[in-house]
Amino acid sequence: MKAGDISKLGYALLGLLQQQPSSGYALRKIFSSTAMTTYSDSPGAIYPALQRLEQQGLIRGSIEESSGLRRRQMFRLTPHGLAALKKWINRPLVRADVIRGLDEVMLRFAFSQQAVGATGAVNLLKSLLVELTSYIPELREQLTANKEAMPTSGRLALESGLRSYECLLDWTKYALATYVRQKKMRQERKGATAS
Amino acid sequence: MKAGDISKLGYALLGLLQQQPSSGYALRKIFSSTAMTTYSDSPGAIYPALQRLEQQGLIRGSIEESSGLRRRQMFRLTPHGLAALKKWINRPLVRADVIRGLDEVMLRFAFSQQAVGATGAVNLLKSLLVELTSYIPELREQLTANKEAMPTSGRLALESGLRSYECLLDWTKYALATYVRQKKMRQERKGATAS
DNA sequence: CGATACATGTAAGAAGTTACATGATTGT
DNA sequence: ACAATCATGTAACTTCTTACATGTATCG
C-alpha cells in the first residue's frame, strides 16, 4: 500500500463514521461485538488508523472534556472523507475484487446505501452479477479439468470455493430483487396517495 | 505473530511441498495460475518465506546446477516440517477459526488427506460441523435482532454472511457424505474380492 | 537483437499483532 | 481495596507489498 492510500480498516472506519460520529473506543466495541468481528478491535490497529485518517484530512476529531471519564475524542467525517468513501464504493469492480477481495466488496455494499443511495447500491450489485457470471464458469472448468489428479480433500476444497461463489450469485440476485420490490412499493404508495 | 510461528503463506508452502518437492518459482506459478490465487505470487513474499521455513528446519533446499538455466533450488519437507504440517491440520477448531479464518480452515482441509489421511480429513469436517451448527443460530439471532435499525444494504450484507455460512454447512455435510460413500465402496470391493 | 519465460533475490515502507502503559470512574 | 469498564496510546516485532536488480536461454 502506497502512502496516501487507505487500508481496508481505514475504509471500515470511514463507513462507520459516516453512519454516526464515534470515539475510537466505540468503534472498537463495534468490531468486537457485532458481525464486523472480521476486523481487529485491537487499540494498536484502530488508534493509529484513526490518526492516519485525520492526517489525511478525511476525519476530524474533537476532544470532549465534559463526560466525566477520561478525555474522549469524537471523530466525524470531513467532506473529503465522505468523497473518499463514495469514490471507494463506486470504484468499478474487476475480477481481482471477486477473487481476492470479496469481503471488501461486501463492506462497500454494506455502506453503499447511506453513502451513495439505493441507485449506487444497485449499481454495485449489478457489476457484481456481471463479474460472477463470467468467473463461475471458468472456475467450474478448472475444477472439472483438474479433478482427476487431486486427492478427495483437495477436490472438495475446490468445490467449496465454487459453491460459495454460486451461493453469492444467488444472494446477488435476491438482493437486486429486494431493491426492485422496494422501488415498486414506493411507486404504489405514491400512486395511492395521488389517486 | 511471534517468532518461530508459521504464517498462513508458510503453511500453504509446507502443504504444497508435502505434495511434491518444488522450486520457489514453481510454487509462485501455482499461486498465480490455480485457484490458490488468494495467495500472493510475489517473489518478495515467497522467497523470504521459504528462507524462514528453512531456518526453522521445516524444509531443506538443494541447489540443482544441472538444468542448464539459472541455478535452481528444489525444496522438500523435512520430518520436522511434516510434523508441523500435521499439527496445524489437526489443531482443534475453535469459534475464531470459523469467524476470522475460514480460508485457513479450507487450506488445512485441502492438504488433510495427503498429510493425515482420510480419518484426519473427516475429523476436521466433523469439528467444522460442530462449530457451524452452534454459530449459525447465533448469527441468525443477531440478524433478526438488528434488522429494523439498519439500512437495506447493511441488512442484506449481513444476510450474505449468514447465507455463506449456511452454504458452507451444506458443503460440510456433502463432504462428509462423500467420505462415507468412499469408505462403503472400499468395503464392498474388499467383500467382493474376499468372497 | 529484443521480448519472453525461467529463476532468484533485496530494499524500503506500510500496516497489523501482541503486549505494555496510563488514567478515571463505578460497583462490590 | 480491588476489579471491571471506559478510554487512549506507544513500542517492538513480523509480514506483506511494490519496485528494483540480476542472470540464462530460447524464440521470432
Side-chain angles (χ1 to χ4, degrees), chain A:
Chain A
M1 208 168 292
K2 274 170 275 188
D5 282 10
I6 303 167
S7 69
K8 216 163 65 177
L9 176 62
Y11 282 116
L13 294 169
L14 287 182
L16 290 171
L17 289 175
Q18 200 253 330
Q19 299 189 333
Q20 185 179 177
S22 310
S23 66
Y25 190 79
L27 293 164
R28 282 182 61 205
K29 288 291 123 178
I30 290 171
F31 290 137
S32 64
S33 65
T34 71
M36 296 191 76
T37 21
T38 28
Y39 297 91
S40 162
D41 68 330
S42 83
I46 286 174
Y47 291 107
L50 287 169
Q51 286 168 10
R52 284 195 300 273
L53 292 173
E54 191 165 29
Q55 274 164 23
Q56 293 172 285
L58 304 172
I59 64 176
R60 209 186 61 242
S62 52
I63 291 160
E64 285 187 346
E65 208 65 68
S66 52
S67 59
L69 286 168
R70 184 175 174 181
R71 102 203 169 288
R72 182 170 69 155
Q73 208 174 171
M74 288 296 274
F75 291 97
R76 59 196 79 239
L77 278 194
T78 63
H80 263 102
L82 182 59
L85 183 66
K86 286 182 179 176
K87 195 174 155 193
W88 172 64
I89 291 170
N90 286 325
R91 200 147 71 191
L93 278 195
V94 292
R95 176 64 64 96
D97 292 317
V98 170
I99 297 180
R100 304 196 57 181
L102 264 184
D103 53 337
E104 191 170 345
V105 173
M106 287 310 304
L107 190 67
R108 286 163 64 179
F109 178 70
F111 294 136
S112 63
Q113 193 164 337
Q114 300 229 328
V116 297
T119 318
V122 168
N123 283 340
L124 197 50
L125 289 173
K126 280 181 183 165
S127 70
L128 181 58
L129 188 69
V130 169
E131 288 301 325
L132 288 173
T133 304
S134 83
Y135 183 50
I136 288 175
E138 286 181 35
L139 239 186
R140 191 158 10 216
E141 234 171 285
Q142 246 191 63
L143 176 62
T144 46
N146 297 13
K147 80 159 66 170
E148 309 303 327
M150 284 201 254
T152 306
S153 71
R155 180 175 57 75
L156 285 169
L158 260 190
E159 277 186 51
S160 146
L162 178 58
R163 274 166 173 250
S164 80
Y165 280 111
E166 288 170 338
C167 183
L168 184 66
L169 180 60
D170 284 346
W171 171 87
T172 308
K173 290 173 182 169
Y174 156 76
L176 277 169
T178 301
Y179 275 106
V180 170
R181 205 164 50 240
Q182 277 193 358
K183 197 179 173 184
K184 210 178 283 173
M185 274 169 66
R186 271 199 306 278
Q187 283 174 346
E188 272 164 24
R189 243 196 337 264
K190 212 161 59 179
T193 55
S195 69

Side-chain angles (χ1 to χ4, degrees), chain B residues 92-154:
Chain B
L93 278 195
V94 293
R95 176 64 65 96
D97 292 318
V98 170
I99 296 180
R100 303 196 59 182
L102 265 185
D103 51 338
E104 191 170 344
V105 173
M106 287 309 306
L107 190 66
R108 286 163 63 179
F109 177 69
F111 295 135
S112 63
Q113 194 165 335
Q114 300 229 328
V116 297
T119 319
V122 167
N123 283 340
L124 196 50
L125 288 173
K126 279 183 182 163
S127 72
L128 181 58
L129 188 70
V130 169
E131 286 302 325
L132 288 173
T133 305
S134 84
Y135 183 51
I136 289 175
E138 285 181 36
L139 239 186
R140 194 162 3 222
E141 235 173 282
Q142 246 192 63
L143 176 62
T144 47
N146 297 14
K147 79 158 67 171
E148 310 303 327
M150 283 202 254
T152 307
S153 71

Side-chain angles (χ1 to χ4, degrees), chain B residues 24-25 28 43-44 47 51 69-73:
Chain B
Y25 190 79
R28 282 182 62 204
Y47 291 107
Q51 286 168 10
L69 286 167
R70 184 176 173 180
R71 102 204 170 287
R72 184 169 68 155
Q73 208 174 172

Side-chain angles (χ1 to χ4, degrees), chain B residues 81-93:
Chain B
L82 183 59
L85 183 66
K86 286 182 180 176
K87 195 174 157 192
W88 172 63
I89 291 170
N90 286 325
R91 200 147 71 191
L93 278 195

